[in-house]
Amino acid sequence: MSFSATMMDVPLTIDLVVDRAERWTAGIEVVSRRPDKSITRTTYGDVAKRARRLARALVGAGIRRGDRVATLMWNHSEHLECYFGIPLSGGVTHTLNLRLHPDEIAYIANDASDRFAIVDDCLLPLFDKVVAAGAKFEKVIVVGKAGDHVPYEAFLASANESTTLPKLAETDPLGVCYTSGTTGKPKGVVYSHKSTVLHSIVAAVPDSLGLSRADTLLPVVPMFHVNAWGLPYTCALVGAKLVFPGPHLDAASLLELFQNEKVTVGAGVPTIWLGIREALDANPGKWTLQPGLRMIVGGSAAPEQMIRDFDRLGMTLLHAWGMTETSPIGTVSRVPPHLADADEDTRYRLRARQGTPTPLVDICIRNDAGEVPADDKTSGELMIRGPWISASYMGGHTPDRWTSDGWFRTGDVARMDQHGFIQLVDRVADQIKSGGEWISSQELENTLMGHPAVKEAAVVGVPHPKWSERPLAAVVLKPGATATADELRDFLAPKFAKFWLPDAFVFVDAIPRTSAGKFKKTELRDTYAKHFT
Ligand code: ADP
């Protein structure tokens, strides 16, 4: 006789989150800032109802299981309705990155065979360019002034209450997001219902991002960027109030919203927090923020100095690492209880690392000799596996990104200390090889950003006649601050081997960035390609 578990077999699908929003967190507010800066307020209960209406309207309009529906939208409550409504219809939400070039957006929309598009009226000028660049959609639904397109509200009103929604399987696709394409063409990563539900739960646990219904979260990270790190799903699940900034991402607008909506957690890339720090330092006492405001930071390394500066301002930065392929949360950096009494420098060093894996995912670091020891010296490529880590790209591109024993190769170079904390040292492609020795551009730039005059710094390898490549640092100084190349070199000298020190420091107004706010090192390398020749 076989012995079986007696538990209910409940598929982990998004309707679990929507049902909960409707029944148990219905009254919690969802706040959106509109392009004209006005504020609108709704609740999870209403969002859930309207999401079901959207799902029925989509089914009525012909969307079938697995069909892709694109969104070209800022962060606001209608986008949240799409996050729920499209997958409830059986469709797949394809969040288009509005910061990309129209040609690229068109390529991505066609590659994913998007059938419908749901677009913000303020983004119609961009959308028209995307269509002119060759993107084809059968139906275009517009939030706001729709012109010749279908108004979103009318589309919702067209839903027939008797339309039955499909029964979802947990392995069904729920959303698709494209990688930024720094290496080759952008590639689609397809999240499943199950991967999304599990990621949403684990993101909330205390030693992960630690989110609860006591929180009010403002995702600065766009909803077209790895589902705003999955945070809208997590917030709906735990019942945290959500505050969406719309298109207003400047420091003053964000701080005003933090203040007025009593935000307890923000989430965004380091550039956002750099701007916030600058605004707070320039206007002491101007904004009253919640005591102990937390800020989740990822997407690029959070420099240690930034973590220290925010502590001084009474806020806590929480450093996390992830990728589009990892849904995105892979590791989070929290000082464990047994190191809580370690000296201050040790604790800051740990917090500036990318941290340890969240529950249910595992990491390892491998180089040509195999798995590297946790000696904080030997580096190798970071590998990751788990239930919300992609097992392939859409269309099966570049299968060599996965090892034969089931790990995803991240393309990040890292080392691990004795506590299991990883430190990213570079992207594989950004490492600098000088005279046969490797130099980590990220370590140099993180240290440079600790100099009191430096706002931002990016280090790249530039061709050199003798050493094949030498480091060059592009530096943005803080407003009104001064520093010379010699001063910056002297600042780095005690911390690095001599051959690591950049041969050149160039002072620039801004460092070119990708659509995701990361340093665009390819452009820097091109600009300075002949600097040493
Ligand atoms: P995301 O949208 O999360 O930034 P991408 O797929 O666009 O995801 O980029 C992932 C890459 O960003 C990682 O492979 C890594 O190089 C970099 N990255 C993400 N988080 C961090 C971090 N905390 N520190 C350093 N680099 C990071």
Side-chain angles (χ1 to χ4, degrees):
M1 191 187 81
S2 69
F3 188 76
S4 316
T6 63
M7 295 298 107
M8 294 182 185
D9 186 15
V10 178
L12 298 177
T13 50
I14 205 65
D15 39 356
L16 295 178
V17 182
V18 182
D19 287 352
R20 183 171 167 80
E22 209 163 8
R23 275 174 64 74
W24 299 105
T25 62
I28 307 281
E29 261 190 328
V30 176
V31 178
S32 310
R33 191 167 225 181
R34 301 297 168 177
D36 66 357
K37 286 213 151 186
S38 63
I39 297 278
T40 58
R41 291 173 192 281
T42 180
T43 58
Y44 280 126
D46 275 340
V47 167
K49 278 196 188 66
R50 285 165 54 87
R52 282 194 211 288
R53 219 169 282 154
L54 172 62
R56 292 201 166 90
L58 287 169
V59 171
I63 288 296
R64 296 289 172 261
R65 239 167 131 167
D67 286 350
R68 269 75 73 200
V69 177
T71 62
L72 188 67
M73 291 170 147
W74 291 104
N75 290 10
H76 50 56
S77 59
E78 288 85 355
H79 208 168
L80 186 64
E81 289 163 12
C82 293
Y83 266 40
F84 293 136
I86 297 169
L88 283 177
S89 76
V92 180
T93 315
H94 180 192
T95 47
L96 294 172
N97 182 345
L98 57 90
R99 296 210 177 109
L100 297 178
H101 190 277
D103 290 351
E104 244 179 313
I105 303 179
Y107 168 83
I108 287 170
N110 287 341
D111 190 62
S113 309
D114 294 336
R115 286 189 61 196
F116 293 5
I118 308 182
V119 183
D120 278 348
D121 59 358
C122 62
L123 292 170
L124 279 174
L126 168 65
F127 183 76
D128 290 342
K129 287 188 194 145
V130 173
V131 171
K136 292 188 179 56
F137 302 98
E138 290 166 43
K139 192 183 277 295
V140 180
I141 301 154
V142 173
V143 176
K145 293 197 180 66
D148 296 338
H149 304 297
V150 182
Y152 181 77
E153 293 302 328
F155 188 67
L156 251 60
S158 74
N160 184 340
E161 284 306 306
S162 61
T163 302
T164 44
L165 295 177
K167 194 166 165 39
L168 302 164
E170 63 180 14
T171 48
D172 280 352
L174 159 139
V176 56
C177 191
Y178 273 66
T179 60
S180 46
T182 38
T183 47
K185 284 269 183 216
K187 294 180 279 289
V189 173
V190 186
Y191 308 112
S192 67
H193 281 260
K194 179 177 160 188
S195 72
T196 306
V197 170
L198 289 174
H199 181 269
S200 307
I201 299 167
V202 173
V205 304
D207 288 332
S208 180
L209 302 182
L211 298 170
S212 82
R213 62 184 174 185
D215 283 313
T216 295
L217 186 135
L218 189 152
V220 185
V221 50
M223 291 172 83
F224 52 79
H225 198 169
V226 213
N227 292 331
W229 300 344
L231 294 167
Y233 293 120
T234 301
C235 286
L237 193 73
V238 301
K241 172 177 161 182
L242 260 174
V243 180
F244 288 121
H248 305 290
L249 304 181
D250 60 285
S253 301
L254 290 172
L255 282 161
E256 188 186 292
L257 211 49
F258 280 167
Q259 169 181 274
N260 295 352
E261 298 300 327
K262 299 189 165 46
V263 170
T264 63
V265 188
V269 294
T271 333
I272 295 288
W273 307 126
L274 276 177
I276 298 252
R277 180 184 69 184
E278 218 169 86
L280 289 170
D281 280 338
N283 305 280
K286 180 164 178 188
W287 296 280
T288 308
L289 304 178
Q290 289 302 293
L293 178 71
R294 287 120 70 205
M295 282 164 301
I296 303 164
V297 57
S300 303
E304 184 179 319
Q305 189 57 44
M306 193 159 99
I307 300 177
R308 287 179 183 264
D309 288 345
F310 274 105
D311 274 359
R312 170 175 55 78
L313 292 163
M315 296 168 219
T316 308
L317 274 190
L318 179 62
H319 192 193
W321 165 89
M323 309 175 70
T324 305
E325 293 89 333
T326 66
S327 294
I329 300 166
T331 66
V332 179
S333 200
R334 285 185 184 272
V335 178
H338 71 279
L339 293 171
D341 295 330
D343 61 279
E344 196 179 270
D345 285 350
T346 304
R347 282 183 283 128
Y348 277 118
R349 231 180 0 256
L350 286 174
R351 286 176 58 197
R353 287 172 168 255
Q354 281 70 24
T356 56
T358 57
L360 307 190
V361 302
D362 199 8
I363 55 170
C364 71
I365 301 174
R366 288 183 187 169
N367 64 15
D368 293 342
E371 185 158 351
V372 308
D375 61 4
D376 209 18
K377 284 198 201 74
T378 322
S379 61
E381 187 172 2
L382 179 66
M383 316 262 166
I384 186 164
R385 66 180 177 200
W388 53 84
I389 312 301
S390 201
S392 66
Y393 289 119
M394 209 181 96
H397 298 289
T398 57
D400 54 343
R401 289 293 296 272
W402 286 266
T403 66
S404 53
D405 57 345
W407 295 85
F408 171 63
R409 296 179 210 269
T410 63
D412 283 329
V413 182
R415 51 172 205 262
M416 190 182 283
D417 71 6
Q418 76 269 32
H419 309 297
F421 275 60
I422 56 161
Q423 170 71 57
L424 255 62
V425 295
D426 241 324
R427 295 287 300 164
V428 171
D430 291 339
Q431 280 183 299
I432 303 165
K433 199 161 198 184
S434 169
E437 296 288 343
W438 290 108
I439 297 173
S440 151
S441 65
Q442 276 189 23
E443 287 186 86
L444 286 169
E445 56 207 30
N446 287 345
T447 306
L448 267 177
M449 286 191 265
H451 187 284
V454 174
K455 182 177 170 202
E456 286 185 276
V459 176
V460 288
V462 169
H464 189 281
K466 180 166 177 199
W467 302 107
S468 88
E469 266 190 332
R470 288 295 299 151
L472 171 147
V475 177
V476 182
L477 294 175
K478 287 183 184 158
T482 53
T484 63
D486 284 344
E487 277 165 31
L488 295 180
R489 195 173 292 108
D490 289 348
F491 178 75
L492 293 175
K495 302 176 181 89
F496 296 100
K498 197 148 175 273
F499 80 94
W500 275 48
L501 302 181
D503 282 16
F505 291 82
V506 292
F507 295 93
V508 293
D509 292 337
I511 292 169
R513 289 184 180 280
T514 68
S515 67
K518 297 177 211 292
F519 293 150
K520 205 172 188 174
K521 294 201 170 174
T522 43
E523 192 173 318
L524 278 177
R525 279 194 285 266
D526 287 349
T527 307
Y528 297 104
K530 301 213 175 338
H531 200 85
F532 297 132
T533 53

